[in-house]
């Protein structure tokens, strides 16, 4: 059945697609971009509704971001799900609250979706919300997962039940360098596997096991990646029997320049305007990347000794927070820089560097011509944003799946070099100085040679895949055709 609307421009006559991101800016952002691309390509035919979970902890100004998206995109609407009661959880860890909210919100999602007329075309859920795909099945429309990490990480997710769960021991009890073999990707050392996967007795391990098993049953998986970046892993997914239905690589979906992010004071652009082309080392570690006071001092000393220009986004160290353990508010509170840095650091480096508290508009910064390289925690959005800007990276994985990303982005794609010592408790000033120096001075070495050229080439490939006739747009068209919609 062709469900194309013949009723012209009216919002109410378009078909509705529901997107359901999990909590966190890094998950909301790519979903919003997916909505923008859908609306942009199917202007007369689709509306998108994005479901937003109400969180008991602050993740920054989601609401102001949402307002700016609505103002710029009348065909995207947001439905805020009601808060849920988590008081039965005693001393919850962050992940208990995170998964608890998603689980308890299922009834609210069901109630909202079943009230919609006509029935939505499809439900696209973030992989952390995989179990909410059951609701679409119950209501009789297809469900898809939007995977906001890379295809190689998806390989590990889909093979998790067989590869990791079939081993008899917890990975944490094996040697750190023991290798885990997933079909279709490089062997993974145990100490690069995400921590929640390493303990079979942990509640979150069991949650991931269930998510992985359920993921294999949805109608399709969209991935925020693109063919020229990860063709081998993308092709390995059906080839290794990991997923029997269609995989749609639809990326790179990064915040479009039209979108304003969390706003705030943009003074750092004036500073960047005064710096020579390609001269600035940009350090920024995602929404949650924090360092101990000792580590901050080592970074500061290393940067100063490297004599490179730098723009550094600094969040409060976790222990300086006086807020609740699971809150992220402290990350956005102004850190007191004088307390954090070595004596006189800010004064001595004032002609070379700028420290910004908590947040910058990263996409716009990366596109500034003064940026020479990006020291990043390798969160997947940050990696894609660097690729789209053609900026070479220094990878310093901190949490979540970022150590896996280090293996793929540094060792396989060779779009980055690793921060020396990233695998130790403390990265020393000498390691920071050496790594930054190597990259900025284009040291002649196996790790650094060709990184700049590969980044420039991948930027062009990213532009091409998003253009008309590009692989990612063809994948999106193929998906929308299965809903009976033709342009
Ligand atoms: N971000 C930003 N400014 C900051 C820190 C982060 O704009 O100061 C954005 C960044 O551009 C990216 C997202 O927040 O889009 C972080 O996502 P990523 O996957 O890189 O890391 P996560 O925060 O999920 O670990």
């Amino acid at each position: 059945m062709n469900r194309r609307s013949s009723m012209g421009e009216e919002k109410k006559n378009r078909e509705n697609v529901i997107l359901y991101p999990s909590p966190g800016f890094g998950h909301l952002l790519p979903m919003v971009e997916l909505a923008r691309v859908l609306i942009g390509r199917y202007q007369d035919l689709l509306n998108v509704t994005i479901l937003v979970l109400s969180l008991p902890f602050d993740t920054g100004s989601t609401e102001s971001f949402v307002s700016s998206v609505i103002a710029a995109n009348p065909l995207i609407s947001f439905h805020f799900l009601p808060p849920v009661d988590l008081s039965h959880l005693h001393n919850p860890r962050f992940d208990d609250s995170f998964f608890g909210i998603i689980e308890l919100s299922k009834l609210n999602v069901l109630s909202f979706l079943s009230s919609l007329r006509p029935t939505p075309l499809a439900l696209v859920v973030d992989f952390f919300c995989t179990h909410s795909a059951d609701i679409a099945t119950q209501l009789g429309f297809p469900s898809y997962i939007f995977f906001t990490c890379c295809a190689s990480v998806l390989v590990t997710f889909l093979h998790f039940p067989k590869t990791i769960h079939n081993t008899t021991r917890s990975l944490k009890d094996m040697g750190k360098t023991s290798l885990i073999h997933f079909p279709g990707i490089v062997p993974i050392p145990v100490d690069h596997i995400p921590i929640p996967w390493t303990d079979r007795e942990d509640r979150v391990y069991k949650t991931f096991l269930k998510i992985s098993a359920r993921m294999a049953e949805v109608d399709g998986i969209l991935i925020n990646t693109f063919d020229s970046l990860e063709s081998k892993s993308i092709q390995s997914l059906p080839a290794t029997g990991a997923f029997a239905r269609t995989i749609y690589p639809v990326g790179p979906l990064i915040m479009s320049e039209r979108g304003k992010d969390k706003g705030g004071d943009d003074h750092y652009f004036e500073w960047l305007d005064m710096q020579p082309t390609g001269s600035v080392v940009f350090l920024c570690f995602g929404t949650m990347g924090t360092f101990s006071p000792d580590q901050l001092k080592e970074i500061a000393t290393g940067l100063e000794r490297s004599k490179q220009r730098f723009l550094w986004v600094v969040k409060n160290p976790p222990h300086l927070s006086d807020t609740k353990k699971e809150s992220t508010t402290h990350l956005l509170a102004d850190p007191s820089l004088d307390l954090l840095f070595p004596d006189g650091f800010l004064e001595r480096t004032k002609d070379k560097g700028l420290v910004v508290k908590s947040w910058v508009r990263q996409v716009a910064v990366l596109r500034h011509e003064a940026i020479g390289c990006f020291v990043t925690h390798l969160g997947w959005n940050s990696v894609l944003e660097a690729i789209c800007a053609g900026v070479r990276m220094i990878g310093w994985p901190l949490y979540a799946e970022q150590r896996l990303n280090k293996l793929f982005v540094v060792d396989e794609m060779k779009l980055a070099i690793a921060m020396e010592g990233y695998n130790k408790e403390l990265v020393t000033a000498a390691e920071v100085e050496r790594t930054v120096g190597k990259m900025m001075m284009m040291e002649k070495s196996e790790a650094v040679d060709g990184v700049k050229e590969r980044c420039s080439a991948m930027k062009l490939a990213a532009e091409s895949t998003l253009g008309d006739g590009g692989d990612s747009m063809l994948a999106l068209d193929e998906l929308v055709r299965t809903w009976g919609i033709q342009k």
Side-chain angles (χ1 to χ4, degrees), residues 33-92:
E33 286 310 317
L34 176 62
R36 279 194 177 120
V37 175
L38 276 170
I39 297 295
R41 276 186 92 67
Y42 293 89
Q43 288 187 359
D44 302 335
L45 308 170
L46 297 178
N47 296 317
V48 173
T49 303
I50 302 179
L51 308 183
V52 183
L53 289 160
S54 303
L55 305 177
F57 41 86
D58 185 4
T59 55
S61 23
T62 302
E63 283 175 19
S64 67
F65 172 65
V66 164
S67 308
S68 74
V69 174
I70 295 171
N73 305 276
L75 295 176
I76 301 177
S77 48
F78 288 81
H79 174 75
F80 286 85
L81 294 161
V84 291
D85 180 9
L86 293 176
S87 57
H88 61 287
L89 298 176
H90 300 295
N91 287 328

Side-chain angles (χ1 to χ4, degrees), residues 25-27 29-30 148 255 261 282 284-289 313 315 358-363 366 376-383 385 399-402:
F25 202 58
H27 293 261
L29 257 187
T148 53
M255 183 188 283
D261 60 9
F282 172 45
C284 188
F285 301 91
T287 51
M288 299 178 72
V313 185
K315 291 182 173 42
S358 305
W359 192 264
V360 294
R361 290 172 49 210
Q362 180 170 295
V363 170
L366 282 167
T376 165
H377 69 318
L378 296 173
W380 190 240
N381 293 301
S382 293
V383 171
E385 288 161 8
Y399 53 91
E401 89 297 0
Q402 292 149 16

Side-chain angles (χ1 to χ4, degrees), residues 132-206:
S132 304
D134 298 347
I135 297 164
T137 312
Q138 193 178 335
L139 297 176
F141 51 93
S143 59
Y144 301 82
I145 283 170
F146 183 36
F147 197 70
T148 53
C149 308
C150 66
S152 300
V153 171
L154 181 59
V155 170
T156 65
F157 256 86
L158 289 171
H159 284 288
F160 176 55
K162 278 197 188 134
T163 310
I164 293 184
H165 195 60
N166 275 358
T167 56
T168 48
R169 286 184 294 161
S170 284
L171 300 189
K172 71 177 172 53
D173 300 327
M174 297 182 181
K176 284 182 178 179
T177 51
S178 308
L179 293 174
I180 307 297
H181 295 267
F182 294 92
I185 56 170
V186 289
I188 311 287
V190 163
D191 63 357
H192 283 63
I193 298 273
I195 288 166
W197 296 9
T198 59
D199 182 358
R200 300 164 78 91
E201 301 311 316
D202 194 280
R203 293 191 293 280
V204 178
Y205 176 98
K206 291 171 187 162

Side-chain angles (χ1 to χ4, degrees), residues 420-431:
E420 268 183 47
Y422 77 88
N423 221 3
K424 297 183 311 183
E425 195 77 353
L426 190 77
V427 174
T428 63
E431 288 166 329

